[in-house]
Amino acid sequence: MTSVEPLGGIAGCAVVRLKVVTDARGSLSFAEGMNDLPFAVARVFYMYDIPAGARRGAHGHRETSLVLFALSGKVDVLLDDGRRTLTHTLSRPSEGLLIGPWVWHELENFAPGTVCLALASGVYDEADYLRDYEGFRREVAERAA
């Protein structure tokens, strides 16, 4: 059974642990939108062949939620909701990280060979992105006021 556990007080973020089915042929995990995930999946993308020292992400979303999985390898995900920050490491293909709207996220320290899968609640829309950190902080503060 899938479990979703809040993560360190960061609003809208949680660890998603998928069921693992294992037999002599290996292991399999799966996620069904609106069942194992808190949204229907509208977009799928993945990152791979990340050069040493490279960072990905460095943005937030106004409406879109994501779940990230390190299908192989390991990556650190920095999270910031405008009040708190924390870093969560993804290193197991059955454990994902739910990132809700209004959370700045950056991916760094990719291990060689890492493949990071992202499942998104919305299609790509540039207007949904918050790409300037100071602008993100201003908008978060305005929303809180």
Side-chain angles (χ1 to χ4, degrees):
M1 172 180 223
T2 299
S3 70
V4 178
E5 301 166 20
L7 182 66
I10 299 287
C13 293
V15 174
V16 177
R17 289 188 178 87
L18 300 177
K19 180 177 180 180
V20 179
V21 179
T22 302
D23 65 21
R25 301 169 295 168
S27 297
L28 177 140
S29 291
F30 60 90
E32 297 174 347
M34 302 306 296
N35 190 7
D36 300 298
L37 304 175
F39 55 80
V41 176
R43 180 169 45 120
V44 175
F45 61 94
Y46 48 97
M47 297 159 266
Y48 58 97
D49 292 342
I50 308 298
R55 296 173 72 115
R56 301 295 309 237
H59 63 265
H61 293 280
R62 290 180 174 92
E63 296 182 17
T64 300
S65 293
L66 302 170
V67 179
L68 302 177
F69 293 92
L71 298 182
S72 66
K74 181 171 93 169
V75 60
D76 291 334
V77 184
L78 289 72
L79 302 167
D80 180 341
D81 68 359
R83 294 178 305 280
R84 292 175 226 50
T85 61
L86 69 80
T87 300
H88 182 78
T89 301
L90 291 172
S91 62
R92 300 178 60 183
S94 63
E95 183 178 292
L97 178 60
L98 171 64
I99 304 172
W102 300 102
V103 176
W104 186 267
H105 52 282
E106 300 182 25
L107 289 75
E108 66 177 12
N109 300 324
F110 286 85
T114 297
V115 177
C116 184
L117 172 71
L119 306 175
S121 66
V123 298
Y124 178 82
D125 177 4
E126 183 59 33
D128 181 50
Y129 281 74
L130 297 152
R131 296 192 185 273
D132 172 69
Y133 182 71
E134 291 309 316
F136 162 79
R137 296 214 15 117
R138 274 192 306 277
E139 286 196 44
V140 166
E142 289 169 7
R143 287 174 45 83

